Amino acid sequence: MAGARVLGTAGPKKAKKAAATTGKSARFYPADDVKRPLPSRKNNKQAPKIRSSITPGTVLILLAGRFRGKRVVCLKSLETGLLLVTGPYKVNGVPLRRVNQAYVIATSTKVDVSGVDVASFDDAYFARSSSADGEGEEEFFEGDAAKPAIVSDQRKADQKKVDAAVLKAVEATPMMKGYLGAKFSLRKGDKPHKMVF
Amino acid sequence: MRGVANARILFHHFPCHISVFLTCPSLFLPSFLASPNSHPTVPAKRKHANTQINFTMSFSRYVEVGRIVLVNYGPESGKLATIIDVVDQNKCLIDGPEDITGVRRQVIPYRRIALTNLTVKIARNARAKTLKKAWADAEIESKWENSAWAKKLAAKSTRANLNDFDRFKVMVARKQKSAIIAKKMKQLA
């Protein structure tokens, strides 16, 4: 029979609609009304948006966290939207680190980091290794004595490699090393909303 | 007294078709004060052969056709303009000239302008072309740029636009300067 072949799995509405166009009633209706889920909007496969003022080589001022107030060089933005940043370590003690752009002021000062190879660093590099050591109870009762951070040799080696290239660019600009070593703070009379960074 | 904060209207050319609201007879004070009889006597050593330098309390910068003004408020703030006509006791007509300062011909209240000590010789309602020529003849642009007022404004805007790195460099320079001064002071002490 030359009727519109309407598959009932598409939904009863579609069947009725098709029937309306052909003028013939649909051949098949599903037995039960099965609700179809709405199309999901969670298909955001774009890279997270980074402020246009933050590019590789921008000097950033960290506003929160352990290194708040430090001026630091941005190396690249990672897939999760965090920024990869380095002091350089010798200049201000900030290692290769991830930082959220929300807690950062981007200055208009740029350092040339084109000679730095940061392709190998990604979020997995910084993922915390699950600590399999120590009985939880013992540690808990010991108290909050600050345990010295154990920095892996690989991290130290990577730090040296990256910083060598960054330091070359930093030392090329007069006063840049001193600038990166100095901490940022608001002084009397400073109006942050009027300051140009 | 309304409107006129720091200017006195000097009606050099009294235009008959512009109605002037004279609510306050004190507007005529300048001419009264300007009469030589009211000035205190000048100490002899200051008298020159031809002119007498009088230190009085009268005004020296008048709202007049040709007065160069600095616009303080509004979209044209920070720019120079010339008064080419007076409307009434609250507002006047100014023109850049537009090619030189970017201020178009417009009526502006005195509240929004500040008189400078520069003037150009023009007739009332001068055309832009004549105005430009008068500006070039009087070398207003260079005179303004060399004035202390303009230099202060320039310094203020530079300071406001310093970037974070620049502010660091300024801080270092100030420390070096004070170190040199302290060293010298120690020597002298």
Side-chain angles (χ1 to χ4, degrees):
Chain A
M1 202 123 35
R5 192 144 173 245
V6 180
L7 296 171
T9 44
K13 279 194 187 164
K14 200 169 180 184
K16 287 199 196 111
K17 190 177 168 195
T21 50
T22 56
K24 295 194 172 139
S25 57
R27 280 172 51 186
F28 177 72
Y29 282 99
D32 306 310
D33 276 332
V34 178
K35 280 207 157 46
R36 275 198 319 161
L38 292 167
S40 160
R41 291 186 186 206
K42 291 187 184 173
N43 294 324
N44 187 12
K45 300 281 184 181
Q46 297 168 325
K49 195 161 164 241
I50 304 284
R51 267 182 274 162
S52 58
S53 52
I54 302 178
T55 62
T58 312
V59 173
L60 308 172
I61 299 174
L62 302 180
L63 297 173
R66 180 172 166 194
F67 299 104
R68 57 185 156 271
K70 300 257 189 193
R71 292 173 172 118
V72 120
V73 179
C74 174
L75 296 173
K76 79 175 198 185
S77 75
L78 303 166
E79 312 90 47
T80 46
L82 300 171
L83 306 169
L84 175 65
V85 126
T86 182
Y89 186 72
K90 276 218 175 109
V91 175
N92 53 21
V94 180
L96 277 166
R97 202 169 201 263
R98 292 185 298 174
V99 129
N100 188 322
Q101 61 167 330
Y103 302 100
V104 136
I105 293 179
T107 65
S108 51
T109 317
K110 313 260 183 229
V111 172
D112 181 18
V113 291
S114 51
V116 181
D117 174 29
V118 279
S120 59
F121 302 110
D122 60 349
D123 288 291
Y125 176 87
F126 293 98
R128 261 186 238 181
S129 58
S130 51
S131 50
D133 47 43
E135 296 116 39
E137 273 184 30
E138 210 179 271
E139 282 179 359
F140 182 80
F141 288 118
E142 256 169 31
D144 293 322
K147 276 191 277 204
I150 307 161
V151 183
S152 70
D153 290 326
Q154 197 223 349
R155 286 269 187 120
K156 290 187 188 165
D158 288 333
Q159 185 75 50
K160 257 185 136 169
K161 198 178 94 182
V162 168
D163 279 359
V166 177
L167 265 172
K168 227 171 63 175
V170 161
E171 277 163 4
T173 321
M175 300 184 88
M176 179 61 77
K177 201 166 174 197
Y179 174 58
L180 291 175
K183 261 190 168 181
F184 172 82
S185 76
L186 288 175
R187 310 233 160 88
K188 190 159 83 170
D190 281 347
K191 298 176 185 122
H193 68 293
K194 280 192 159 173
M195 285 162 75
V196 170
F197 286 98
Chain B
M1 203 173 104
R2 286 176 135 267
V4 192
N6 57 359
R8 283 282 188 267
I9 300 171
L10 185 71
F11 297 117
H12 272 153
H13 317 279
F14 200 96
C16 40
H17 64 278
I18 292 177
S19 62
V20 179
F21 299 100
L22 300 172
T23 56
C24 191
S26 60
L27 286 175
F28 288 110
L29 269 177
S31 42
F32 173 78
L33 276 179
S35 72
N37 300 324
S38 69
H39 293 163
T41 51
V42 176
K45 65 177 179 187
R46 282 195 179 130
K47 269 194 185 168
H48 288 205
N50 296 323
T51 58
Q52 212 182 29
I53 302 171
N54 296 309
F55 296 96
T56 68
M57 275 171 41
S58 70
F59 295 89
S60 58
R61 293 181 192 173
Y62 295 99
V63 168
E64 54 189 320
V65 172
R67 173 69 57 187
I68 309 287
V69 298
L70 180 72
V71 180
N72 282 337
Y73 181 90
E76 319 275 10
S77 64
K79 298 183 188 165
L80 287 180
T82 332
I83 295 180
I84 50 182
D85 205 347
V86 167
V87 173
D88 62 11
Q89 73 168 27
N90 291 321
K91 42 195 187 285
C92 60
L93 183 65
I94 59 166
D95 194 1
E98 195 180 349
D99 291 335
I100 302 180
T101 69
V103 178
R104 285 199 207 141
R105 202 168 244 242
Q106 60 196 273
V107 170
I108 195 169
Y110 300 124
R111 262 204 256 102
R112 294 190 176 190
I113 59 176
L115 306 181
T116 66
N117 58 354
L118 303 168
T119 52
V120 279
K121 272 196 82 176
I122 48 165
R124 186 177 59 83
N125 244 321
R127 276 191 316 163
K129 189 169 141 195
T130 338
L131 193 51
K132 262 177 84 171
K133 184 166 182 301
W135 265 59
D137 290 341
E139 291 170 4
I140 296 294
E141 277 183 282
S142 65
K143 283 211 186 112
W144 170 249
E145 269 157 37
N146 293 328
S147 71
W149 187 354
K151 287 186 190 159
K152 272 189 266 177
L153 289 177
K156 214 172 169 183
S157 85
T158 323
R159 241 179 264 138
N161 290 322
L162 285 179
N163 111 24
D164 191 50
F165 190 22
D166 293 334
R167 262 176 263 132
F168 173 77
K169 290 188 218 169
V170 163
M171 184 262 287
V172 170
R174 293 178 76 214
K175 283 176 85 170
Q176 289 173 341
K177 175 183 161 191
S178 72
I180 295 169
I181 293 173
K183 197 163 134 184
K184 189 70 183 178
M185 291 295 278
K186 207 169 173 190
Q187 266 179 22
L188 296 173

